[in-house]
Amino acid sequence: MSAQPADGSSRERILAAATRLFAERGYDATSTRAIGEAVGLNIATVAYHVGGKPELYRAVMRRAHLTQRDVVVEALERLGACGSSPEETRAALLGFVDTYLTFCLNHPEVPALWMRRWLSEGVDLAEIEAEIAGPLIARVASVARGVLDRAGLGAGVDVEMLVFTIVFTTHSFGQAGVIDATGQRVGPRDLAILERFRRHLHGVVNGVV
């Protein structure tokens, strides 16, 4: 493996490999050497492009966050612009939930990274929640609270907990699916199960608001 800095695509290749390995194995079980080997580079070259393991992990999480944030912010703009009637508001909230579910299914590495953190992976890097997760969750809850108030809905709803409920269940379903009556694990590629889960999420939102 070359010890010299590689071409301009090396950083992206390193980040892509690190994203996959951190999502699959977690922060603690993934070494910089393993990431380098995945892209045919040595540790020195990896460090040249992204720094040490903590810096690499931060870069991975920020990269995943930006991908997620772009989708969420666009969906929030549509939600905030919805009509003020209860029917229009509920439909817009369900549209937001559907957008987030689709994102999680199309980018399974992002929920996987966050679920690893829920298990205290990379616990020493607690600033990630403060810099990344907290502000976006607060923004979602604020917009949702605003459209509910405008429509005269959900006066007693803990919107932040509703957001967490959607996030936790969507991430878990996308990663693990469900267990059927025979004990077999059935994931979101089963369209019937996916539709059942989507209807369930819709029921949760409609039942609360």
Side-chain angles (χ1 to χ4, degrees):
M1 292 186 294
S2 172
Q4 299 302 315
D7 58 61
S9 69
S10 292
R11 178 178 169 81
E12 281 303 309
R13 292 194 296 118
I14 292 167
L15 288 174
T19 298
R20 176 176 58 81
L21 292 174
F22 284 141
E24 290 176 357
R25 306 178 185 179
Y27 177 80
D28 298 333
T30 301
S31 66
T32 306
R33 182 180 301 278
I35 293 168
E37 289 175 351
V39 291
L41 300 172
N42 62 26
I43 294 176
T45 306
V46 171
Y48 172 85
H49 286 287
V50 295
K53 182 177 170 180
E55 290 74 26
L56 176 53
Y57 183 68
R58 290 187 187 97
V60 164
M61 294 304 297
R62 289 187 181 114
R63 187 169 180 259
H65 167 67
L66 290 176
T67 302
Q68 182 179 34
R69 187 195 65 183
D70 289 347
V71 172
V72 170
V73 168
E74 183 177 344
L76 281 178
E77 290 174 353
R78 293 195 298 271
L79 175 59
C82 74
S84 60
S85 72
E87 295 76 16
E88 291 170 309
T89 300
R90 288 192 180 96
L93 286 169
L94 296 181
F96 179 84
V97 169
D98 285 344
T99 297
Y100 190 69
L101 173 59
T102 299
F103 169 81
C104 289
L105 297 180
N106 288 341
H107 299 273
E109 72 283 358
V110 177
L113 287 167
W114 284 113
M115 290 178 74
R116 289 287 184 181
R117 288 196 63 76
W118 297 348
L119 298 173
S120 298
E121 292 280 357
V123 66
D124 293 339
L125 303 172
E127 75 275 7
I128 288 174
E129 274 71 21
E131 295 177 4
I132 295 177
L136 186 59
I137 290 169
R139 185 171 180 178
V140 173
S142 176
V143 173
R145 178 77 273 165
V147 299
L148 286 173
D149 289 346
R150 188 175 66 198
L153 293 171
V157 173
D158 188 329
V159 176
E160 189 175 64
M161 282 300 171
L162 178 59
V163 172
F164 281 125
T165 298
I166 298 300
V167 170
F168 293 158
T169 54
T170 300
H171 285 202
S172 298
F173 174 74
Q175 292 297 302
V178 297
I179 304 297
D180 68 14
T182 69
Q184 299 297 310
R185 188 176 299 280
V186 185
R189 291 186 180 181
D190 184 308
L191 297 183
I193 291 295
L194 173 58
E195 185 55 30
R196 279 182 61 193
F197 180 74
R198 190 189 306 276
R199 287 199 306 269
H200 173 69
L201 282 184
H202 287 193
V204 170
V205 174
N206 285 327
V208 170
V209 303

